[in-house]
Short mmCIF file of all heavy atoms in Angstrom, two decimals:
data_model
loop_
_atom_site.label_atom_id
_atom_site.label_comp_id
_atom_site.label_asym_id
_atom_site.label_seq_id
_atom_site.Cartn_x
_atom_site.Cartn_y
_atom_site.Cartn_z
N THR A 529 10.32 -54.61 8.02
CA THR A 529 9.65 -54.03 6.85
C THR A 529 9.16 -52.61 7.20
O THR A 529 9.08 -52.24 8.36
CB THR A 529 8.41 -54.85 6.46
OG1 THR A 529 7.50 -54.93 7.56
CG2 THR A 529 8.82 -56.28 6.04
N ALA A 530 8.92 -51.86 6.12
CA ALA A 530 8.46 -50.45 6.30
C ALA A 530 6.94 -50.44 6.54
O ALA A 530 6.22 -51.27 6.02
CB ALA A 530 8.84 -49.68 5.04
N ASP A 531 6.51 -49.45 7.30
CA ASP A 531 5.10 -49.26 7.61
C ASP A 531 4.69 -47.92 7.00
O ASP A 531 5.45 -46.96 6.99
CB ASP A 531 4.85 -49.24 9.09
CG ASP A 531 5.08 -50.61 9.72
OD1 ASP A 531 4.75 -51.64 9.10
OD2 ASP A 531 5.68 -50.61 10.86
N LYS A 532 3.43 -47.86 6.58
CA LYS A 532 2.84 -46.63 6.10
C LYS A 532 2.18 -45.90 7.28
O LYS A 532 1.35 -46.49 7.99
CB LYS A 532 1.81 -46.87 4.99
CG LYS A 532 2.47 -47.17 3.63
CD LYS A 532 1.50 -47.01 2.49
CE LYS A 532 2.23 -47.10 1.14
NZ LYS A 532 1.31 -46.89 -0.01
N ILE A 533 2.56 -44.62 7.49
CA ILE A 533 2.17 -43.87 8.65
C ILE A 533 1.61 -42.52 8.20
O ILE A 533 2.26 -41.85 7.42
CB ILE A 533 3.31 -43.66 9.69
CG1 ILE A 533 4.02 -45.00 9.98
CG2 ILE A 533 2.80 -43.01 10.94
CD1 ILE A 533 5.32 -44.84 10.74
N THR A 534 0.44 -42.15 8.69
CA THR A 534 -0.10 -40.79 8.42
C THR A 534 0.45 -39.88 9.53
O THR A 534 0.30 -40.11 10.72
CB THR A 534 -1.63 -40.85 8.48
OG1 THR A 534 -2.12 -41.76 7.49
CG2 THR A 534 -2.17 -39.46 8.18
N VAL A 535 1.03 -38.76 9.05
CA VAL A 535 1.65 -37.81 9.99
C VAL A 535 1.31 -36.36 9.67
O VAL A 535 0.99 -36.04 8.52
CB VAL A 535 3.19 -37.97 10.01
CG1 VAL A 535 3.61 -39.39 10.36
CG2 VAL A 535 3.76 -37.60 8.68
N TYR A 536 1.42 -35.55 10.68
CA TYR A 536 1.32 -34.07 10.53
C TYR A 536 2.72 -33.52 10.62
O TYR A 536 3.28 -33.52 11.71
CB TYR A 536 0.40 -33.47 11.60
CG TYR A 536 -0.91 -34.17 11.77
CD1 TYR A 536 -1.28 -34.77 12.99
CD2 TYR A 536 -1.80 -34.26 10.72
CE1 TYR A 536 -2.51 -35.47 13.12
CE2 TYR A 536 -3.05 -34.93 10.86
CZ TYR A 536 -3.35 -35.51 12.04
OH TYR A 536 -4.54 -36.14 12.23
N PRO A 537 3.31 -33.03 9.56
CA PRO A 537 4.73 -32.56 9.59
C PRO A 537 4.82 -31.13 10.20
O PRO A 537 4.05 -30.24 9.82
CB PRO A 537 5.08 -32.57 8.18
CG PRO A 537 3.81 -32.28 7.40
CD PRO A 537 2.73 -32.94 8.20
N TYR A 538 5.75 -30.95 11.13
CA TYR A 538 5.94 -29.71 11.81
C TYR A 538 7.24 -28.98 11.53
O TYR A 538 7.35 -27.79 11.55
CB TYR A 538 5.79 -29.91 13.35
CG TYR A 538 4.47 -30.47 13.80
CD1 TYR A 538 4.42 -31.42 14.81
CD2 TYR A 538 3.27 -30.07 13.19
CE1 TYR A 538 3.18 -31.92 15.24
CE2 TYR A 538 2.06 -30.57 13.60
CZ TYR A 538 2.01 -31.51 14.64
OH TYR A 538 0.81 -32.04 15.03
N LEU A 539 8.30 -29.76 11.27
CA LEU A 539 9.64 -29.14 11.14
C LEU A 539 10.61 -30.13 10.51
O LEU A 539 10.56 -31.34 10.73
CB LEU A 539 10.14 -28.77 12.54
CG LEU A 539 11.50 -28.03 12.62
CD1 LEU A 539 11.39 -26.65 12.02
CD2 LEU A 539 12.00 -28.04 14.06
N LEU A 540 11.48 -29.58 9.64
CA LEU A 540 12.64 -30.32 9.18
C LEU A 540 13.84 -29.85 9.95
O LEU A 540 14.09 -28.66 10.07
CB LEU A 540 12.85 -30.06 7.65
CG LEU A 540 12.16 -30.97 6.64
CD1 LEU A 540 12.39 -30.45 5.26
CD2 LEU A 540 12.65 -32.38 6.76
N LYS A 541 14.63 -30.79 10.47
CA LYS A 541 15.79 -30.42 11.28
C LYS A 541 17.03 -31.25 10.86
O LYS A 541 16.91 -32.46 10.62
CB LYS A 541 15.51 -30.66 12.78
CG LYS A 541 16.65 -30.23 13.68
CD LYS A 541 16.25 -30.30 15.15
CE LYS A 541 17.46 -29.96 16.07
NZ LYS A 541 18.01 -28.64 15.80
N GLU A 542 18.12 -30.56 10.83
CA GLU A 542 19.40 -31.23 10.47
C GLU A 542 20.25 -31.30 11.71
O GLU A 542 20.37 -30.36 12.51
CB GLU A 542 20.14 -30.41 9.38
CG GLU A 542 21.41 -31.15 8.94
CD GLU A 542 22.28 -30.27 8.01
OE1 GLU A 542 22.07 -29.05 8.02
OE2 GLU A 542 23.15 -30.83 7.32
N TYR A 543 20.88 -32.45 11.90
CA TYR A 543 21.84 -32.60 13.01
C TYR A 543 22.90 -33.56 12.52
O TYR A 543 22.69 -34.74 12.12
CB TYR A 543 21.15 -33.18 14.26
CG TYR A 543 22.10 -33.42 15.39
CD1 TYR A 543 22.70 -32.33 16.06
CD2 TYR A 543 22.39 -34.70 15.84
CE1 TYR A 543 23.57 -32.57 17.10
CE2 TYR A 543 23.27 -34.92 16.93
CZ TYR A 543 23.85 -33.82 17.55
OH TYR A 543 24.73 -34.05 18.59
N ARG A 544 24.17 -33.04 12.52
CA ARG A 544 25.33 -33.81 12.11
C ARG A 544 25.14 -34.53 10.77
O ARG A 544 25.34 -35.73 10.62
CB ARG A 544 25.69 -34.82 13.21
CG ARG A 544 26.24 -34.17 14.50
CD ARG A 544 26.98 -35.11 15.36
NE ARG A 544 27.63 -34.38 16.43
CZ ARG A 544 28.39 -34.98 17.35
NH1 ARG A 544 28.56 -36.30 17.33
NH2 ARG A 544 28.97 -34.24 18.32
N ASN A 545 24.74 -33.73 9.78
CA ASN A 545 24.60 -34.17 8.40
C ASN A 545 23.50 -35.21 8.20
O ASN A 545 23.47 -35.87 7.15
CB ASN A 545 25.93 -34.73 7.88
CG ASN A 545 27.03 -33.73 7.94
OD1 ASN A 545 26.86 -32.57 7.50
ND2 ASN A 545 28.20 -34.11 8.43
N ARG A 546 22.60 -35.34 9.16
CA ARG A 546 21.42 -36.15 8.94
C ARG A 546 20.20 -35.30 9.06
O ARG A 546 20.15 -34.37 9.89
CB ARG A 546 21.32 -37.31 9.96
CG ARG A 546 22.38 -38.37 9.80
CD ARG A 546 22.09 -39.53 10.75
NE ARG A 546 20.95 -40.33 10.31
CZ ARG A 546 20.27 -41.12 11.14
NH1 ARG A 546 20.59 -41.17 12.46
NH2 ARG A 546 19.25 -41.86 10.69
N TRP A 547 19.16 -35.52 8.27
CA TRP A 547 17.95 -34.75 8.30
C TRP A 547 16.87 -35.58 9.01
O TRP A 547 16.78 -36.80 8.88
CB TRP A 547 17.47 -34.41 6.91
CG TRP A 547 18.24 -33.28 6.26
CD1 TRP A 547 19.36 -33.41 5.48
CD2 TRP A 547 17.93 -31.90 6.35
NE1 TRP A 547 19.79 -32.16 5.07
CE2 TRP A 547 18.96 -31.23 5.61
CE3 TRP A 547 16.95 -31.16 6.99
CZ2 TRP A 547 18.95 -29.81 5.48
CZ3 TRP A 547 16.97 -29.81 6.84
CH2 TRP A 547 17.94 -29.12 6.12
N PHE A 548 16.01 -34.83 9.78
CA PHE A 548 14.95 -35.47 10.52
C PHE A 548 13.65 -34.75 10.30
O PHE A 548 13.63 -33.48 10.19
CB PHE A 548 15.28 -35.49 12.00
CG PHE A 548 16.54 -36.24 12.36
CD1 PHE A 548 17.79 -35.60 12.33
CD2 PHE A 548 16.49 -37.55 12.72
CE1 PHE A 548 18.94 -36.27 12.60
CE2 PHE A 548 17.66 -38.24 13.07
CZ PHE A 548 18.91 -37.57 13.00
N LEU A 549 12.59 -35.46 10.20
CA LEU A 549 11.24 -34.87 10.16
C LEU A 549 10.64 -34.95 11.55
O LEU A 549 10.44 -36.00 12.09
CB LEU A 549 10.36 -35.64 9.15
CG LEU A 549 8.89 -35.18 9.11
CD1 LEU A 549 8.82 -33.77 8.52
CD2 LEU A 549 8.04 -36.17 8.25
N ILE A 550 10.32 -33.74 12.06
CA ILE A 550 9.63 -33.66 13.35
C ILE A 550 8.14 -33.57 13.06
O ILE A 550 7.70 -32.65 12.35
CB ILE A 550 10.08 -32.41 14.16
CG1 ILE A 550 11.66 -32.30 14.10
CG2 ILE A 550 9.57 -32.47 15.58
CD1 ILE A 550 12.40 -33.45 14.63
N CYS A 551 7.39 -34.51 13.53
CA CYS A 551 5.97 -34.57 13.16
C CYS A 551 5.16 -35.23 14.28
O CYS A 551 5.71 -35.49 15.36
CB CYS A 551 5.84 -35.41 11.86
SG CYS A 551 6.48 -37.12 12.01
N GLU A 552 3.91 -35.47 13.98
CA GLU A 552 3.05 -36.20 14.94
C GLU A 552 2.25 -37.22 14.18
O GLU A 552 1.65 -36.90 13.14
CB GLU A 552 2.13 -35.23 15.71
CG GLU A 552 1.29 -35.92 16.73
CD GLU A 552 0.44 -34.95 17.54
OE1 GLU A 552 0.39 -33.81 17.21
OE2 GLU A 552 -0.18 -35.39 18.57
N LYS A 553 2.24 -38.44 14.65
CA LYS A 553 1.41 -39.47 14.04
C LYS A 553 -0.07 -39.15 14.23
O LYS A 553 -0.49 -38.74 15.30
CB LYS A 553 1.71 -40.84 14.65
CG LYS A 553 3.11 -41.39 14.41
CD LYS A 553 3.27 -42.74 15.08
CE LYS A 553 4.64 -43.33 14.95
NZ LYS A 553 4.76 -44.62 15.59
#
């Protein structure tokens, strides 16, 4: 199941047509 997580977002990064959120919990 999915969990709700509070994060501080730092960067959006793309690699091989997938996007990733670089953050800190």
Side-chain angles (χ1 to χ4, degrees):
T529 59
D531 294 320
K532 284 196 172 184
I533 309 169
T534 300
V535 301
Y536 310 118
Y538 300 141
L539 181 70
L540 270 174
K541 182 172 175 61
E542 183 189 20
Y543 179 67
R544 292 197 170 182
N545 300 314
R546 290 187 74 200
W547 283 91
F548 299 86
L549 175 66
I550 316 301
C551 60
E552 184 176 9
K553 293 181 183 178

